[in-house]
Amino acid sequence: MRRLFGSVRARATLGATLVVAVALVAAGAAVLLSLRSNLIGEAGTQAERSARAVASELAAGTPYDKLSGLDGDDGPVQVLDEHGRLVAASEDLEKISGTDSGQVKPQPAVKPSGDDDDDDAGEPLEAGEISGESVFSNGSATIDGDAEDYRFAAVEVETHDRGHLKVYAGSPLAAEHGAVRTALTVMLIGFPLLLGVVAAVTWLVTRRALRPVEGIRREMAAITQSEDLARRVPEPDTHDEIARLASTTNATLAALETSVERQRRFVADASHELRSPIASLRTQLEVAAAHPELLDLDGAVEDTVRLQRLAADLLLLARLDAGERLGDARVDLAGLAREAAEGRTGVTVDAEPVEVAGSRGQLGRVLANLLDNAQRHARSAVTVHVRREGDRAVVGVADDGDGVPEDDRERIFERFVRLDAARSRDDGGAGLGLAIARDVAVRHGGTLTAGRGPAGGALFELRLPLV
């Protein structure tokens, strides 16, 4: 059963069919009840009309054997006296039920007595008066061998010479039974056919609607198997949810392709950056092994330190890419800036107390990287400003060097990017400091931009939300 309804199309078809089935059953039951009620009401009206016609003749003094309603053509008729005795009945009446008397042959009438109480629960009728209320009941009768169900109406009448009488007249319910049976037969035949049509249409419509989804699934399976992230899923021209799903899937594939390509470039660039100091260090060690007197200890230490810094930068980038938790500690940027500038030559700090939330270690690394970059390119002076601007804390690091060309002010934040004037590895830069600084700023909900400083050099501004 689970495999049978394991697809969206099968479940949609089943759901639509069940909903329509419930609606049809409810509507069919309502129609049958309404039809039956209307037809029974019509039969009751006809029976009341016949009963009142006989009552009118009795009120006019017509003898029992002269009553026109006793021929049995319109239905069974009974006339009962105030004692419940049958005093007149339809011709050829053989059996009756549903009235106050099951008798079919008239009984000798009893002369009414003035001392007898009237059985009528309402106000007593005057001579020749017919009751305005009718009482209805269902029963059956057999006339000349034909048995049928009838709707009976009872009408009371007060006569001049025969006392209080009650007239029962019946109207056949054959039309009601026939109409209900016909309607039920039509429903029993038509409803399954209609449900079959609903199921077939739902199956075809959902298949057509889900066809693009199957195309997306097949293409995604092919992309997964081939590992070719440059491929894209087909986007239907329908402008509906499925088209938006395909568009979002393609956007996800594009972002995934960019991320994978970035990781590949990162690995290649990291390997390239690591290869040079490792090769230099190996060469120095091999020379030292063969000629100890030629050992360049300072150079070996410098290469080792550079390797250590590069490894630390790569580790920090890996943690940032993995979404390392920042924490919510309060960090005083003014104090942090003074700590980062301590011991550095030519660096001045102008700071007002401002606090932000985040990782003290990562923000300290940002300031250290910005100061390293500024000192590398400054002629003589580096200035650090910490201030408050609205709901942001701003840290500006400016130098008096040549500055950053406007076209390169975004490119310098890419990993392993060094501008032409700073390509020498002897300066100690691997092109990761500014990339790390921006990644940390973004993860703290801030920004890091490059511009032109007051002294004509570069100005890097770190903007972070205040606590």
Side-chain angles (χ1 to χ4, degrees):
M1 182 64 68
R2 180 175 295 181
R3 291 192 61 185
L4 179 61
F5 297 105
S7 66
V8 174
R9 182 168 54 178
R11 291 196 295 271
T13 301
L14 177 63
T17 305
L18 289 178
V19 169
V20 174
V22 172
L24 289 177
V25 169
V31 169
L32 289 177
L33 291 175
S34 177
L35 178 63
R36 184 174 182 273
S37 175
N38 290 336
L39 292 176
I40 290 178
E42 291 181 4
T45 301
Q46 180 62 36
E48 182 182 19
R49 189 180 298 115
S50 300
R52 289 191 177 277
V54 174
S56 298
E57 294 179 357
L58 291 173
T62 304
Y64 294 137
D65 56 351
K66 301 295 185 180
L67 294 175
S68 61
L70 300 183
D71 54 8
D73 294 339
D74 295 331
V77 174
Q78 281 183 320
V79 180
L80 307 181
D81 64 11
E82 57 190 6
H83 300 288
R85 296 184 180 90
L86 182 67
V87 295
S90 299
E91 300 175 1
D92 300 324
L93 179 63
E94 301 175 2
K95 187 178 181 181
I96 191 170
S97 64
T99 64
D100 286 348
S101 175
Q103 299 175 0
V104 296
K105 298 299 182 182
Q107 302 296 316
V110 178
K111 185 175 182 179
S113 173
D115 296 335
D116 292 339
D117 294 333
D118 195 339
D119 292 337
D120 186 13
E123 296 182 359
L125 300 176
E126 297 180 359
E129 184 180 0
I130 301 173
S131 173
E133 297 181 356
S134 301
V135 179
F136 297 93
S137 61
N138 291 333
S140 62
T142 303
I143 300 177
D144 198 16
D146 294 330
E148 288 189 36
D149 292 331
Y150 288 87
R151 178 73 167 171
F152 290 102
V155 177
E156 297 181 358
V157 58
E158 187 71 28
T159 63
H160 294 280
D161 54 348
R162 286 167 288 188
H164 191 82
L165 302 177
K166 182 181 289 187
V167 180
Y168 281 94
S171 178
L173 293 176
E176 180 265 336
H177 293 334
V180 170
R181 280 196 299 269
T182 301
L184 183 60
T185 302
V186 170
M187 291 178 183
L188 291 177
I189 296 176
F191 283 6
L193 294 177
L194 183 57
L195 290 177
V197 171
V198 170
V201 171
T202 305
W203 180 268
L204 295 176
V205 170
T206 52
R207 183 179 67 176
R208 181 179 179 83
L210 295 176
R211 187 177 299 161
V213 177
E214 179 61 22
I216 294 173
R217 186 202 64 79
R218 285 198 301 265
E219 186 63 25
M220 286 297 293
I223 292 173
T224 303
Q225 185 175 5
S226 65
E227 299 183 358
D228 182 8
L229 295 178
R231 298 174 61 173
R232 296 293 182 265
V233 301
E235 295 188 21
D237 231 0
T238 52
H239 305 289
D240 56 7
E241 291 83 355
I242 297 177
R244 292 194 290 272
L245 171 64
S247 177
T248 303
T249 302
N250 283 335
T252 303
L253 287 173
L256 184 59
E257 181 186 14
T258 301
S259 176
V260 171
E261 185 61 29
R262 183 183 181 187
Q263 291 297 326
R264 288 173 180 170
R265 288 200 308 268
F266 178 76
V267 172
D269 292 339
S271 301
H272 180 72
E273 290 293 334
L274 287 170
R275 184 173 57 184
S276 297
I278 290 175
S280 175
L281 183 60
R282 178 180 177 180
T283 300
Q284 295 179 56
L285 293 176
E286 288 176 350
V287 170
H291 305 282
E293 69 279 2
L294 298 178
L295 174 61
D296 183 6
L297 187 58
D298 293 337
V301 172
E302 184 179 348
D303 286 339
T304 302
V305 171
R306 186 160 178 266
L307 279 173
Q308 183 181 12
R309 290 177 178 173
L310 183 56
D313 288 344
L314 293 175
L315 179 60
L316 179 55
L317 284 173
R319 294 205 306 265
L320 291 175
D321 290 340
E324 183 183 38
R325 186 174 180 272
L326 297 177
D328 54 359
R330 290 174 175 262
V331 180
D332 180 14
L333 287 182
L336 198 63
R338 293 188 182 96
E339 290 180 12
E342 187 177 355
R344 295 177 182 266
T345 304
V347 178
T348 58
V349 179
D350 179 15
E352 63 176 271
V354 289
E355 287 188 341
V356 297
S359 169
R360 180 180 178 84
Q362 291 187 12
L363 293 176
R365 183 63 179 275
V366 171
L367 293 176
N369 288 356
L370 293 178
L371 287 173
D372 288 343
N373 179 78
Q375 285 189 300
R376 190 177 300 117
H377 297 89
R379 292 189 178 92
S380 60
V382 175
T383 304
V384 180
H385 294 278
V386 180
R387 65 185 186 279
R388 182 193 305 262
E389 283 188 4
D391 61 347
R392 295 271 166 167
V394 181
V395 180
V397 179
D399 61 66
D400 58 356
D402 296 330
V404 181
E406 188 173 353
D407 294 340
D408 295 325
R409 288 176 184 173
E410 279 299 315
R411 195 168 68 88
I412 58 174
F413 293 107
E414 297 178 8
R415 299 177 181 183
F416 298 104
V417 169
R418 288 186 296 269
L419 301 185
D420 293 338
R423 285 192 178 277
S424 174
R425 291 183 175 87
D426 296 335
D427 292 335
L432 292 177
L434 294 179
I436 291 175
R438 170 165 278 188
D439 283 354
V440 172
V442 171
R443 282 181 52 76
H444 281 76
T447 59
L448 178 60
T449 58
R452 185 176 181 82
L459 171 63
F460 290 88
E461 285 190 332
L462 172 66
R463 297 177 181 270
L464 298 172
L466 292 170
V467 174

